[in-house]
């Protein structure tokens, strides 16, 4: 599972670069929307992260970059789409609405929706090779497990302010990582 999640980090890189082309024409402002989402996540902080240090958790997101040369573009778009959808589900929940400033939350959800639309035009309905389809399923399952862990954590912590702060930081790091990796390419 760690390898599959490591691939997620590389897949994120593919979605944020103006020079990156995976056979799909993402809108020119895709990178700007990503930066705006990170800025919104920064503004959403309501309590000190230091106060929540006892609630920290490793959700298993891969922080080191791995060789993504074997990742097929259909897999990249599918996994990215899943990641943005799961993030939208978490921040679009009823519990999230009670935890965050509604203006900032609405901005984040709008940005995620735009990214989902951009990536939706890039999704391939069916993979031609059986092995590729299996690889995509494995990657999608890995993304789902990662987000299930986040949802379970929120539930176990009874959607406390600190739990939301830890999740906000986690999602912000995942989005920031992809931008930083792209800059190194």
């Amino acid at each position: 599972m760690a390898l599959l999640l490591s691939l997620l980090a590389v897949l994120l890189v593919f979605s944020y670069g103006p020079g990156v082309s995976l056979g799909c024409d993402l809108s020119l402002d895709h990178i700007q929307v990503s930066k705006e989402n990170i800025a919104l996540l920064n503004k959403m902080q309501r309590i000190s992260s230091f106060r929540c240090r006892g609630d920290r958790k490793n959700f298993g997101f891969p922080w080191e970059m791995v060789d993504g040369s074997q990742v097929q573009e259909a897999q990249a778009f599918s996994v990215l789409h899943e990641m943005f959808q799961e993030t939208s589900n978490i921040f679009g929940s009823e519990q999230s609405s009670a935890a965050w400033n509604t203006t900032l939350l609405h901005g984040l959800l709008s940005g995620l929706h735009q990214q989902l639309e951009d990536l939706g035009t890039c999704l391939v309905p069916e993979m031609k090779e059986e092995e590729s389809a299996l690889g995509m399923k494995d990657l999608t399952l890995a993304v789902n497990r990662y987000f299930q862990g986040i949802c379970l954590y929120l539930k176990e912590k009874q959607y406390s302010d600190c739990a939301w702060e830890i999740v906000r930081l986690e999602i912000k790091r995942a989005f920031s990582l992809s931008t930083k990796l792209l800059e190194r390419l």
Side-chain angles (χ1 to χ4, degrees), residues 5-160:
L5 288 174
S6 296
L7 291 174
L8 176 60
V10 173
L11 296 175
L12 288 171
V13 171
F14 290 139
S15 76
Y16 292 114
V20 176
S21 174
L22 295 174
C24 176
D25 188 23
L26 290 175
S27 70
L28 295 176
D29 64 349
H30 193 75
I31 223 173
Q32 183 61 34
V33 172
S34 176
K35 289 180 180 180
E36 289 170 8
N37 283 344
I38 293 169
L40 285 167
L41 285 166
N42 280 329
K43 290 178 185 177
M44 288 171 70
Q45 182 177 5
R46 295 182 318 132
I47 60 175
S48 168
S49 302
F50 183 75
R51 178 177 155 208
C52 301
R53 67 188 178 280
D55 291 298
R56 286 189 216 154
K57 177 172 171 94
N58 180 357
F59 295 101
F61 191 86
W63 299 110
E64 67 279 345
M65 185 171 144
V66 298
D67 178 18
S69 62
Q70 296 177 1
V71 176
Q72 297 181 9
E73 65 184 51
Q75 291 172 320
F77 292 129
S78 178
V79 169
L80 285 168
H81 191 272
E82 185 69 20
M83 181 187 153
F84 293 134
Q85 183 62 57
E86 292 288 345
T87 301
S88 182
N89 291 345
I90 288 172
F91 283 98
S93 70
E94 185 178 324
Q95 295 87 356
S96 178
S97 296
W100 303 112
N101 172 297
T102 55
T103 303
L104 296 174
L105 184 60
H106 178 71
L108 176 65
L109 292 171
S110 294
L112 287 168
H113 179 73
Q114 183 175 348
Q115 288 183 300
L116 283 166
E117 281 185 1
D118 289 348
L119 287 170
T121 63
C122 300
L123 294 177
V124 176
E126 285 186 32
M127 299 287 290
K128 293 179 182 175
E129 299 175 25
E130 191 174 311
E131 185 176 312
S132 296
L134 180 60
M136 186 182 307
K137 182 179 177 184
D138 289 345
L139 288 170
T140 303
L141 284 173
V143 172
N144 285 336
R145 283 188 202 119
Y146 170 73
F147 281 98
Q148 283 174 354
I150 290 173
C151 291
L152 182 61
Y153 170 80
L154 284 167
K155 189 175 182 177
E156 286 173 351
K157 294 288 186 173
Q158 299 177 347
Y159 304 96
S160 69

